[in-house]
Amino acid sequence: MSESWGKIAFEQAPLQIIDGDRGTKYPQKDDFTDSGYCVFLNTSNVLSDGFNLFQCQFISESKDQELRKGRLCRGDVVLTTRGTIGNIGIYDESVPYDHIRINSGMVILRTDKGKLLPAFLFQFLRSSFFREQVDSLRSGAAQPQLPIRDIKRVLIPFPDVPIQTCIVSVLSAYDDLITANQRRIQLLEESARLLYREWFVKLCFPGHETVPISDGVPGGWARKPVSALVDVNPRTPFPRDVARPFVRMEVLAEDSMVIDASSDARPISGGAKFRNGDTLLARITPCLENGKTGFVQFLEDDEAVASGSTEFIVLRSRTVNPYYVYCLARSDSFREHAINSMAGSDGRQRVNTKCFQQYLTLQPPDDVSQHFEDKVRDMFEQVQSLTNYNQALREARDLLLPKLMSGALDVSRITVPQEVAA
């Protein structure tokens, strides 16, 4: 049996809306460091459904103490209010930093936990109910904004705390499983990259004890330019009137092979062309510096050619296997070489693809290459399987969310998802 409940405006809800410090002590460029006492959030750290703290900027303890407002407490929810509006994060126990502040493009939502659970508020902010209100309230064309005066007008469902707890429990089961799968994905990819480093950088490949090494090249191996092993931006003919998936730069992950999503299919007219087994390498700064690289294995047809931004480079295996190519593209020395080749004066420097003719790498013999492929292929396939499962979990969760929030669905009748083998 379903049950509906009323809504109240944020202004009447048991929560505070806390702005960041915008005074004269606001941090300047020289105040930020790559490590330190207090994380100072920027827009790249707050996504549509949680924090991304893979790369953070920090301020010192003395600078932190100079600021009056904007410091997070456990249980706080962060909402972006300028530029990209409506991104959210919850500062729960899973966040590893003890000191975090928001910047001037965000607010803190701090609830009275005895009346409004932070996790319930976080789930509401994910819902279409909230997104639709944001779309109607936002202002500013060049720089969209959501002022506090408008945030106060947002309506939120307000069931009793026991009902909030049940709803959070169901939705959190999806979130927890997605997070567990993401950890498995990270471990699988790390294992593949460690194996590459062990075999092809440290040269501790199977049987290396009996193979002579001369000038850093094992017997039977060859040192060649990347362009001899890999096709760079290969040309592939295709009908221009056939719609193909299109991948934008922003969906390439910074710390994973996973390509998060593709937009609607469209007829191909321009952009980079790729297929399953290709590696997509960011071409512009700071995307390359941040590590954006993806491995294509999401297309339904292995022969299908998809289209993407001209701001990444397609690397296609020629004489080495695709998994070797991806791990090579992720290696520090390869990335540093590509970064050093960048040129341009418009603030968006680009990799010069001719640099791949100068970067030398080792080509292993066929038996070593095949052995590596056999060991890592399953890792890559598990990553894609887990990625597909996570996408299905997100879709199921997002369908449940508005129904649970409105009371249209009886929370006691929901079966939570279970972990499955990749």
Side-chain angles (χ1 to χ4, degrees), residues 246-248 251-252 258-263 298 391:
F246 185 89
V247 170
R248 304 176 308 279
V251 303
L252 266 67
V258 173
I259 299 175
D260 294 333
S262 61
S263 65
F298 59 85
Q391 181 61 30

Side-chain angles (χ1 to χ4, degrees), residues 27 33 38 44 52 54 60 63 75 81 91 102 119 121 123 137 171 182 206 231 237 262 269 271 302 361 368 370 396:
T33 57
C38 179
S44 67
N52 173 18
F54 179 66
S60 66
K63 189 63 183 179
T81 58
Y91 184 40
I102 60 171
L121 172 63
Q123 295 292 352
L137 292 171
L171 296 174
Q182 288 171 333
D231 286 326
S262 61
S269 58
D302 282 350
T361 189
V368 175
Q370 185 62 54

Side-chain angles (χ1 to χ4, degrees), residues 224-389:
K224 294 183 178 180
V226 167
S227 57
L229 310 182
V230 176
D231 286 326
V232 180
N233 287 336
R235 295 183 178 275
T236 308
F238 54 87
R240 289 183 176 271
D241 57 347
V242 177
R244 303 290 189 187
F246 185 89
V247 170
R248 304 176 308 279
M249 173 63 75
E250 54 264 35
V251 303
L252 266 67
E254 295 180 352
D255 57 348
S256 172
M257 71 175 69
V258 173
I259 299 175
D260 294 333
S262 61
S263 65
D264 293 338
R266 63 179 71 175
I268 298 177
S269 58
K273 313 304 184 300
F274 57 86
R275 64 191 184 197
N276 280 346
D278 289 347
T279 291
L280 307 184
L281 176 74
R283 186 178 187 179
I284 61 173
T285 183
C287 296
L288 176 59
E289 294 169 337
N290 290 343
K292 281 183 173 288
T293 307
F295 184 78
V296 182
Q297 53 182 348
F298 59 85
L299 299 174
E300 294 183 3
D301 181 356
D302 282 350
E303 298 303 315
V305 175
S307 181
S309 167
T310 57
E311 301 296 11
F312 56 67
I313 296 168
V314 178
L315 302 176
R316 181 172 298 168
S317 61
R318 181 191 296 176
T319 61
V320 289
N321 62 73
Y323 314 113
Y324 177 100
V325 175
Y326 173 79
C327 293
L328 170 66
R330 276 285 184 190
S331 66
D332 293 338
S333 60
F334 179 91
R335 191 173 300 280
E336 182 179 353
H337 179 80
I339 290 172
N340 289 338
S341 79
M342 285 181 166
S345 58
D346 60 355
R348 287 166 64 86
Q349 293 183 312
R350 293 163 175 80
V351 172
N352 184 342
T353 55
K354 291 182 180 179
C355 75
F356 302 116
Q357 299 173 13
Q358 286 82 46
Y359 185 85
L360 300 179
T361 189
L362 291 174
Q363 179 177 11
D366 291 344
D367 61 331
V368 175
S369 180
Q370 185 62 54
H371 193 181
F372 178 75
E373 180 176 358
D374 292 342
K375 289 184 75 68
V376 301
R377 181 192 298 109
D378 184 59
M379 300 176 191
F380 279 62
E381 290 175 352
Q382 285 187 62
V383 166
Q384 187 59 36
S385 178
L386 289 166
T387 300
N388 293 341
Y389 185 38

Side-chain angles (χ1 to χ4, degrees), residues 129-249:
F129 295 146
F130 175 70
R131 302 291 175 185
E132 290 166 1
Q133 293 183 73
V134 166
D135 289 341
S136 67
L137 292 171
R138 73 174 65 208
S139 59
Q143 178 78 344
Q145 300 182 53
L146 185 65
I148 288 180
R149 68 173 183 273
D150 292 332
I151 298 175
K152 291 179 179 180
R153 297 164 53 193
V154 171
L155 298 176
I156 180 173
F158 194 49
D160 293 337
V161 168
I163 298 295
Q164 294 180 37
T165 302
C166 291
I167 291 173
V168 167
S169 177
V170 169
L171 296 174
S172 294
Y174 284 86
D175 294 337
D176 292 345
L177 187 49
I178 290 170
T179 299
N181 287 340
Q182 288 171 333
R183 284 197 293 267
R184 293 171 67 187
I185 287 171
Q186 291 170 352
L187 289 172
L188 286 164
E189 178 167 356
E190 183 179 0
S191 296
R193 291 167 65 182
L194 286 174
L195 189 67
Y196 169 88
R197 192 176 301 123
E198 192 73 11
W199 286 24
F200 304 118
V201 178
K202 297 182 179 180
L203 298 181
C204 294
F205 52 90
H208 71 278
E209 301 90 347
T210 60
V211 177
I213 296 179
S214 176
D215 194 23
V217 180
W221 296 46
R223 180 178 283 124
K224 294 183 178 180
V226 167
S227 57
L229 310 182
V230 176
D231 286 326
V232 180
N233 287 336
R235 295 183 178 275
T236 308
F238 54 87
R240 289 183 176 271
D241 57 347
V242 177
R244 303 290 189 187
F246 185 89
V247 170
R248 304 176 308 279
M249 173 63 75

Side-chain angles (χ1 to χ4, degrees), residues 36-197:
Y37 175 77
C38 179
V39 174
F40 199 87
L41 295 174
N42 59 48
T43 52
S44 67
N45 298 134
V46 189
L47 307 181
S48 60
D49 63 350
F51 288 126
N52 173 18
L53 301 177
F54 179 66
Q55 289 187 325
C56 302
Q57 57 186 11
F58 295 80
I59 56 175
S60 66
E61 183 173 2
S62 59
K63 189 63 183 179
D64 173 60
Q65 292 174 352
E66 290 179 357
L67 302 175
R68 297 176 294 108
K69 300 187 299 180
R71 205 171 203 276
L72 294 184
C73 297
R74 294 288 178 179
D76 285 348
V77 176
V78 173
L79 171 68
T80 60
T81 58
R82 189 181 306 165
T84 301
I85 294 176
N87 282 1
I88 53 173
I90 183 168
Y91 184 40
D92 57 18
E93 296 302 324
S94 68
V95 177
Y97 299 104
D98 292 328
H99 310 287
I100 302 183
R101 283 189 176 275
I102 60 171
N103 73 5
S104 59
M106 310 171 189
V107 296
I108 297 169
L109 304 177
R110 182 171 296 161
T111 72
D112 178 343
K113 298 181 178 64
K115 298 177 181 179
L116 178 60
L117 300 179
F120 180 84
L121 172 63
F122 177 75
Q123 295 292 352
F124 164 71
L125 296 176
R126 282 175 157 174
S127 71
S128 57
F129 295 146
F130 175 70
R131 302 291 175 185
E132 290 166 1
Q133 293 183 73
V134 166
D135 289 341
S136 67
L137 292 171
R138 73 174 65 208
S139 59
Q143 178 78 344
Q145 300 182 53
L146 185 65
I148 288 180
R149 68 173 183 273
D150 292 332
I151 298 175
K152 291 179 179 180
R153 297 164 53 193
V154 171
L155 298 176
I156 180 173
F158 194 49
D160 293 337
V161 168
I163 298 295
Q164 294 180 37
T165 302
C166 291
I167 291 173
V168 167
S169 177
V170 169
L171 296 174
S172 294
Y174 284 86
D175 294 337
D176 292 345
L177 187 49
I178 290 170
T179 299
N181 287 340
Q182 288 171 333
R183 284 197 293 267
R184 293 171 67 187
I185 287 171
Q186 291 170 352
L187 289 172
L188 286 164
E189 178 167 356
E190 183 179 0
S191 296
R193 291 167 65 182
L194 286 174
L195 189 67
Y196 169 88
R197 192 176 301 123

